[in-house]
Amino acid sequence: MPTRSTNRAEDRTGSTGKGISQALDETYWRKHAVVTTSANGALRQEGRARHIAKQYHLRFVARTKRPLALFLKDEGVDTAIVIGDDPRVALFDGVSLHGFFYHPGISLPRVKAMEKGEMDRFVELCGVRRGDHVWDGTAGLCSEATLLAAAVGEEGQVTATEAHFLTYLVVREGLAAYHSSSPQFNSAIRRIALRFGVWQEQVRMDATKRPDIFYLDPMFEQTINRSSGMQALKPYTVPACFSRADLDLARGFARRRLIVKTRRHSAWLRAVQPDELHESARIAYAVFYAAPSQEGGSI
């Protein structure tokens, strides 16, 4: 059962042209999205499709072998949630060339490297310890949450928040069903507690459940990763205006560290003073300690 977000965000235009409040609104998607099967697998996929539709309070509509463009037009909806052979659940909007579905991306080889004892740079700069509680406030495909889950181990706790309802649905189903050749990876993704909502609201509601490490990738500037997977995700993200009030809120929520991902030469990065700054050719990770250090860290 999806975790409900009780408050609505301001109606700002998102990357799909729909308001952010629509992206967050389960009621909106009940009218504008339906669950169906692939064109050729209806009989073997219909049971799972009906189950997912019921679980997320969405309509199931039989595909009847219609091409997706015709299916969307006939049903008068924006998006089809297509249930293929396990474990794939994909979103198609009739506009994007590629559907959006859960995939581990680079997190899988990185977890495999961690299994061999290699240190992951992202995990290291986050300052993660085994047994920590970590929270990814901008989950997306849960790539970073997966790395953090592998690092904290079975005794740790991983929470992730996704603001777009359809992304939440697809990724939540993917985390539950995806299977790789890596036992550690499979265990890590199963331990991620993915929640639907806006991280700011959840932080205020769960003020007593502060994580040791809080991570944010607001995607508030131009897309850095031009991979087909990230481009497929783009229509199902909620662009964020990351204000100083947001930064204060996030920093106060973390027990030890807040990590914010941004572009290396971003205007936002020039306006803040992180306690640590880790840069590569195009991206940067700004690290803020829970309490300002003596030599910096002011906001």
Side-chain angles (χ1 to χ4, degrees), residues 16 58 72 87 124 158 190 208 278 280 283:
T16 59
L58 297 167
L72 293 171
E124 187 174 20
V158 183
R190 303 293 188 270
T208 61
H278 301 264
S280 65
I283 66 172

Side-chain angles (χ1 to χ4, degrees), residues 20-36:
I20 286 181
S21 61
Q22 294 175 348
L24 297 170
D25 194 340
E26 296 153 281
T27 303
Y28 175 86
W29 290 113
R30 288 182 200 136
K31 297 178 181 178
H32 295 272
V34 295
V35 179
T36 190

Side-chain angles (χ1 to χ4, degrees), residues 10 25-26 33 62 64 93 96 99 107 113 121 201 235 239 244:
E10 293 178 359
D25 194 340
E26 296 153 281
T64 59
D93 58 10
S96 304
S107 65
R121 180 173 176 266
E201 295 176 5
R244 294 210 172 199

Side-chain angles (χ1 to χ4, degrees), residues 87-108:
R88 179 166 295 189
V89 175
L91 300 179
F92 290 92
D93 58 10
V95 178
S96 304
L97 294 177
H98 306 285
F100 167 58
F101 54 90
Y102 169 78
H103 60 86
I106 198 171
S107 65
L108 178 54

